[in-house]
Amino acid sequence: MISTDQMKTIIPRMNWDKAQSYVPYISTVLPNFGIDTPLRKAHFLSQVSHESGGLKYSEENLNYSVQGLRSVFGKYFKTNEIAEQYARKPEKIANRVYANRMGNGDEQSGDGWKYRGRGLIQLTGKDNYRSFSNDHGIDCVNNPDLILDPEVALKSACWFWKKRNINAYADADDIHMVTKRINGGTNGLQDRQQYLDSFKNLYKVMEADSKVV
């Protein structure tokens, strides 16, 4: 089993008070989703570490400025005037940018905020919440905050990983395709690679010691 000291070494900037809640579930949850070889685990944990800001965040931060909205969500905020009406209003932002897609209703429905990104690989949109709920008997549709539970947050990330068939790319040690399957591009690739190298080294040591979890 990965120790707390090992995780602190790999992710030195983590908020350990929060991150330690995930560690006990790594050895029990990952194998249930086929993340069961050192290489698969290294790829999964490196991606999760990046996506969650070093296991700090399990909920999407939508507190954008005018400039942030124009840069990240320019499709929905084509002028400064429109962006100014939404800036620093996370709920209002979510309801606009996630409206009428991923199974969500319109902006007035509130679905964008209700089904905003949660989990260690952020699950987003009512369709994804419903699919995960159906597969695991966890009613995240009526109670989306259930995904913030550490074990469920990890399960939802594993579920997304398996659904996207990412093990195949992890087996090929293809970090570019692993990253693309998660976020559609290669954002943060250098950070993801650094994590991957560290987790690979950790699992090599653990394997040599016959302590791989």
Side-chain angles (χ1 to χ4, degrees):
M1 180 176 180
I2 292 178
S3 70
T4 57
D5 287 341
Q6 288 167 331
M7 290 294 284
K8 286 180 180 179
T9 299
I10 294 174
I11 315 176
R13 65 180 185 272
M14 71 165 59
N15 178 344
W16 189 246
D17 288 341
K18 184 168 185 178
Q20 65 181 338
S21 62
Y22 300 110
V23 175
Y25 298 111
I26 291 173
S27 62
T28 57
V29 172
L30 270 61
N32 292 332
F33 293 85
I35 307 170
D36 52 7
T37 69
L39 188 56
R40 290 178 180 184
K41 292 173 188 175
H43 272 279
F44 176 82
L45 291 172
S46 66
Q47 293 290 331
V48 163
S49 297
H50 175 81
E51 290 290 318
S52 63
L55 300 182
K56 291 179 184 177
Y57 311 113
S58 58
E59 188 171 6
E60 186 175 12
N61 179 9
L62 288 153
N63 188 26
Y64 287 95
S65 65
V66 169
Q67 292 75 19
L69 291 174
R70 295 296 307 280
S71 175
V72 178
F73 297 114
K75 176 181 177 181
Y76 303 97
F77 303 98
K78 295 183 178 180
T79 68
N80 284 343
E81 289 74 19
I82 295 174
E84 285 167 0
Q85 299 173 37
Y86 289 80
R88 303 302 181 190
K89 299 174 182 176
E91 183 170 354
K92 194 173 180 180
I93 292 169
N95 286 333
R96 181 176 180 86
V97 301
Y98 295 138
N100 298 310
R101 60 193 183 99
M102 300 180 292
N104 292 342
D106 61 18
E107 189 170 344
Q108 287 68 42
S109 73
D111 284 352
W113 176 251
K114 186 174 183 180
Y115 302 111
R116 65 190 180 278
R118 293 181 181 86
L120 292 181
I121 296 178
Q122 291 179 353
L123 205 64
T124 309
K126 190 174 184 178
D127 281 345
N128 279 322
Y129 276 70
R130 183 185 292 112
S131 293
F132 175 69
S133 296
N134 290 341
D135 286 350
H136 293 283
I138 302 169
D139 189 4
C140 300
V141 175
N142 289 312
N143 188 358
D145 282 340
L146 287 175
I147 295 182
L148 299 179
D149 173 84
E151 184 177 10
V152 180
L154 185 59
K155 279 184 177 179
S156 69
C158 291
W159 174 84
F160 180 87
W161 183 276
K162 183 177 180 180
K163 183 180 180 182
R164 303 283 288 173
N165 194 31
I166 299 176
N167 273 336
Y169 302 105
D171 289 343
D173 202 13
D174 187 345
I175 189 174
H176 287 82
M177 281 306 301
V178 169
T179 302
K180 285 180 180 179
R181 295 296 286 174
I182 287 174
N183 78 355
T186 56
N187 294 333
L189 189 63
Q190 183 177 356
D191 189 54
R192 297 172 202 265
Q193 184 68 62
Q194 289 174 350
Y195 280 130
L196 178 60
D197 292 341
S198 295
F199 279 112
K200 279 183 177 179
N201 289 334
L202 171 61
Y203 276 110
K204 284 179 183 177
V205 170
M206 294 174 70
E207 191 172 28
D209 292 342
S210 299
K211 295 178 181 177
V212 177
V213 296

